Amino acid sequence: MIKTLTHIRELPDHIKGLSVILFDLDDTLYAERSYVHSGFARVAEAVKDTIPDAMERMTQAFAEGKPAIDEMLKETGQESGDMKEKFLFVYRNQVPDIELYPGVRETLRTLQEMGLRLGMITDGAVSRQLSKVDALNIRQYFDAILVTDALGGRAFWKPNPKAFEVMQKRFQVPFETMAYVGDNRAKDFTAPEELHMRSFYLENKDGLYQSGKPVRFPEQSAKEGE
């Protein structure tokens, strides 16, 4: 059964019988679009002398579900492998300018004080996901953080159950006393439901996937974006 929450602050009221709560990261603890725009800002700074309106071009392309950096270079006649790789490097290696959603830090602290152990399961490249964790300054709240890519690549991203099985072994508790908190009904809760965990759907109307429009991240390869 999936319980819907309208705000993360509601979570401590629903923890009876739980010993471990696992969290998604993107669009659950912070706004993922802020990470994307942070990367665009870094790229725009790098190209400001030749493409002064780079930020606007990338933001518009992203909103339309297009590969933003490719579109910017195409529109300005600067398509070349070297240029694209240079800007992708800047984007991928950014120090993110991102912040937690209101109430997240207080809720994580409250759950710890209530005796819950906390973990995180997040999809994506390991270095980038951990850079987000560090930018948000939240490592201290989690007993374990698992980036699914570390298990062997995209095949292990959610809804693959492997990450949840790894966490169960890490915490040594029954699945029935574990829960997962996420924002994406399409992939976040398939494995937890199959494993008889509890699931909390954090309703996030600002989330990138809520509109149903295609989302194409700059760091994706052409194949990944298909």
Side-chain angles (χ1 to χ4, degrees):
M1 180 178 177
I2 302 173
K3 173 71 175 178
T4 298
L5 304 178
T6 58
H7 198 284
I8 197 169
R9 291 192 182 98
E10 300 170 21
L11 187 56
D13 296 329
H14 301 279
I15 62 149
K16 185 177 180 180
L18 293 176
S19 59
V20 172
I21 299 181
L22 307 176
F23 290 84
D24 175 46
L25 175 60
D26 300 309
D27 275 343
T28 295
L29 302 184
Y30 84 103
E32 188 169 12
R33 70 178 68 251
S34 67
Y35 175 84
V36 175
H37 291 162
S38 171
F40 289 166
R42 302 299 185 273
V43 173
E45 176 64 23
V47 75
K48 63 182 179 181
D49 293 335
T50 54
I51 311 177
D53 60 346
M55 186 70 184
E56 291 77 8
R57 289 179 181 274
M58 288 184 289
T59 301
Q60 181 62 35
F62 181 72
E64 296 173 356
K66 300 176 181 178
I69 292 176
D70 297 76
E71 285 295 306
M72 175 189 68
L73 294 174
K74 179 180 178 181
E75 291 172 359
T76 57
Q78 299 190 47
E79 290 179 281
S80 77
D82 291 343
M83 291 288 283
K84 178 180 177 179
E85 287 307 313
K86 173 185 175 181
F87 297 141
L88 283 175
F89 180 85
V90 171
Y91 182 93
R92 290 167 174 161
N93 292 277
Q94 63 171 298
V95 176
D97 183 12
I98 56 178
E99 296 181 355
L100 293 170
Y101 282 129
V104 168
R105 191 175 303 279
E106 294 81 0
T107 299
L108 295 176
R109 188 180 299 125
T110 295
L111 293 171
Q112 277 191 325
E113 292 171 351
M114 295 174 74
L116 276 295
R117 288 186 290 170
L118 310 181
M120 181 188 296
I121 294 177
T122 177
D123 292 336
V126 176
S127 61
R128 289 196 287 280
Q129 293 308 99
L130 293 182
S131 76
K132 298 172 184 178
V133 171
D134 289 335
L136 295 168
N137 188 26
I138 54 175
R139 279 187 187 260
Q140 65 271 29
Y141 300 113
F142 295 95
D143 297 278
I145 295 173
L146 177 55
V147 183
T148 55
D149 214 54
L151 297 174
R154 289 183 68 91
F156 291 92
W157 290 23
K158 295 172 289 184
N160 190 306
K162 182 63 176 181
F164 296 91
E165 294 167 350
V166 170
M167 283 296 205
Q168 188 270 336
K169 292 179 181 178
R170 162 68 173 78
F171 285 104
Q172 290 291 298
V173 298
F175 281 116
E176 289 78 7
T177 68
M178 300 174 67
Y180 191 64
V181 182
D183 72 291
N184 192 328
R185 282 188 176 273
K187 68 172 184 175
D188 282 342
F189 308 114
T190 302
E193 292 292 287
E194 290 176 353
L195 296 170
H196 304 293
M197 294 171 56
R198 286 168 61 183
S199 299
F200 293 100
Y201 168 58
L202 189 59
E203 193 173 37
N204 182 0
K205 296 179 181 179
D206 184 55
L208 287 179
Y209 295 94
Q210 300 308 306
S211 68
K213 295 180 180 179
V215 179
R216 179 72 179 272
F217 293 100
E219 67 267 38
Q220 289 178 309
S221 67
K223 184 176 180 179
E224 291 172 341
E226 292 175 351

